[in-house]
Amino acid sequence: MPLLTVANLRKVYGGHTPVDGISFEIEAGKCVALLGPNGAGKTTTLRMLAGLLKPTSGQISFDGSPGGDYRKRIGYLPQSPAFYNWMSGQEYVVFAAKLCGISSKEAAGLAADVLEHVGLRDAGRRKIAGYSGGMKQRLGLAQALIHRPRLLLLDEPVSALDPIGRREVMELLRGIREETTVIFSTHVLHDAEEICDDIILMNQGLIAEHGALSRLRSQYSIPVIRLTTEREEKAQRWLEDLAHRSFVEQSEVSSGSATLNVKNVELARQIILQEAGSLDIPLLQFEAGSSTLEDLFMKVVGA
Amino acid sequence: MRNMWTLYHKEMLESLRSYKLIWVPVVFIILGIMQPLTTYYMPEILKASGNVPPGMLEGYEMPGSAVVMAQALGQYGTIGMLILVLGVMNSLAGERSSGTVEMLMAKPVAPAAIVSAKWAAQLTVLVMALGLGAAGAAYYTEQLMGPLSWSNLAAAAGLYGLWLLCAVSLTLLFSAWLRGPAAAFLGLLAAAAMSLAHSLLPSQLGWTPASLTAMSAEMMTEGGGFAWGPVLFAGILIVACVAAASLLIRRNQLPE
């Protein structure tokens, strides 16, 4: 039985519909990325899943039971978490634990563990006002994890962070996804590819594509060869010549590099490398493989 | 219920850390003791200012201790109310505009628990401020003017506190859907409108909470004049404010 089932979820604000009827299921233990450009309806969807917004229509079933208040069993981290700056990190986590019905004594122990886990053990006693963006995000994860939720909802957990903060949070997520089910939204495909099993690609309030990352990758992959040479006239002529061979379906040649969509990678590789050898072409790079999900993303977004 | 206690504890900690729990009572104490002091030393103050026409000071009669005490409580109707209202204006509006309410509502917390905890924290500040202020005023009044009836004083202060609590609850309600300063303005306006309406039509509007101030003064000076009407309506108004604020905060929780 799936942990979360969403059927025909819709949200209408006045004349504008940020989420226009989406349905999906999430199995326990999965890590799912909610992917899409800005304004695709990711935040609205997560807020409805977190019970912060009432759907206009549609149904959310948690653990098989539709409706009901399941907030005790989920952890939620908003896009830009706002804390009480006069509290210390440790006080905030204890406060969050007590609101989930954990006794004060137990909360103190859990808070120490979870702060240690997110790397805020030493900073826990300091006021939140003095925290950096990365520390606030990690504190946000700590407050979402304190009551050991079955489902973790994270809204753009790394988008606003610098590369170091981003790395820290991604490493944490890699560990967290082993223990609990995670849904996180992002507009960065690379983040999704790094840690997720499944993706849900949203655009303009609808699910554009949805499924296991591995399946999507093979379904949308096109055999492609990328070549880079030294900028010589001879090499350039050769690249332009390659573009018109029978095994090339589509090509893009610019000065010193070419991207060729081919019918058969094996055959094309053999021919190209042989020719490059016999014609003494100064090759810099040769890459044979498939196009990434980036292309799928761009196609869906319609850029 | 336990959530409400946790939230109340958080509110009180914030009041303490922002020193609100200290400076509001201090202002109330100063306001309260000013009344007996200025009344007692009025002849000296007038003499010191020099240009008092002769014969005026002979006509000055020291008011009785109960009257002075009633006047002292009356001081809280303006500046005291202003301070309390300014203190409550951001309690819900601030959580909404800063976005802290989003993570709060993602926890299994009822909106009514959030609003009730805030209301209870405001009530605590009010009781402390009014209690200490009235005690300070009563001490100086007894020292300078003469003995007071402490039971009358307690009843009068309670009635005055109920009126102040009405203004605080109204501001809390407005703070659930407006910005802080607008909430304070409307809260004060509502209280002022009630007072004005009551003073224009005292016989028809005797049941409104605005008549609590007059009732408090009468209780202090004469030891009587209690009526259930205004107390009951004040209670209904306060409960309605807390309930409406809970409904509103459920709907307006997210910063757009």
Side-chain angles (χ1 to χ4, degrees), chain A residues 60-119:
Chain A
I60 301 169
S61 315
F62 187 83
D63 219 1
S65 53
D69 186 3
Y70 51 85
R71 287 183 296 177
K72 205 168 184 167
R73 286 170 289 165
I74 61 163
Y76 172 69
L77 175 63
Q79 193 161 0
S80 40
F83 299 96
Y84 304 108
N85 283 332
W86 51 269
M87 276 191 184
S88 71
Q90 197 253 352
E91 282 170 334
Y92 192 87
V93 178
V94 169
F95 172 63
K98 285 198 207 159
L99 288 181
C100 294
I102 297 169
S103 71
S104 319
K105 207 183 278 176
E106 206 182 333
L110 283 175
D113 291 349
V114 80
L115 285 174
E116 170 93 55
H117 184 181
V118 301

Side-chain angles (χ1 to χ4, degrees), chain A residues 13 43 47 50-53 69 71-72 74-84 86-88 91-92 94-104 127 140 143-147 155, chain B residues 2-18 91 94-95 97-111 113-114 118 249-251 253-256:
Chain A
Y13 282 123
T43 297
R47 282 178 172 172
L52 291 169
L53 274 181
D69 186 3
R71 287 183 296 177
K72 205 168 184 167
I74 61 163
Y76 172 69
L77 175 63
Q79 193 161 0
S80 40
F83 299 96
Y84 304 108
W86 51 269
M87 276 191 184
S88 71
E91 282 170 334
Y92 192 87
V94 169
F95 172 63
K98 285 198 207 159
L99 288 181
C100 294
I102 297 169
S103 71
S104 319
K127 292 274 187 298
Q143 66 81 31
L145 286 170
I146 183 83
H147 54 296
D155 195 1
Chain B
R2 205 163 77 188
N3 272 347
M4 217 188 107
W5 177 248
T6 305
L7 289 162
Y8 174 76
H9 184 79
K10 173 219 139 201
E11 293 296 326
M12 292 316 291
L13 194 65
E14 182 173 16
S15 297
L16 194 66
R17 296 238 169 116
S18 64
S91 61
E95 295 245 12
S97 66
S98 72
T100 47
V101 76
E102 189 173 3
M103 273 199 284
L104 203 55
M105 293 293 293
K107 301 283 173 209
V109 178
I114 298 175
K118 289 201 178 282
I249 204 76
R250 190 198 293 275
R251 206 177 313 155
Q253 54 189 262
L254 295 173
E256 282 310 323

Side-chain angles (χ1 to χ4, degrees), chain B residues 30-52:
Chain B
I30 294 171
L31 277 177
I33 65 178
M34 285 291 275
Q35 191 65 29
L37 287 179
T38 49
T39 310
Y40 185 76
Y41 291 110
M42 190 54 82
E44 263 88 331
I45 294 167
L46 289 177
K47 239 182 268 165
S49 71
N51 49 2
V52 186

Side-chain angles (χ1 to χ4, degrees), chain B residues 187-205:
Chain B
L188 289 171
L189 192 70
M194 266 197 282
S195 289
L196 185 69
H198 176 253
S199 56
L200 289 177
L201 300 164
S203 50
Q204 284 94 327
L205 296 176

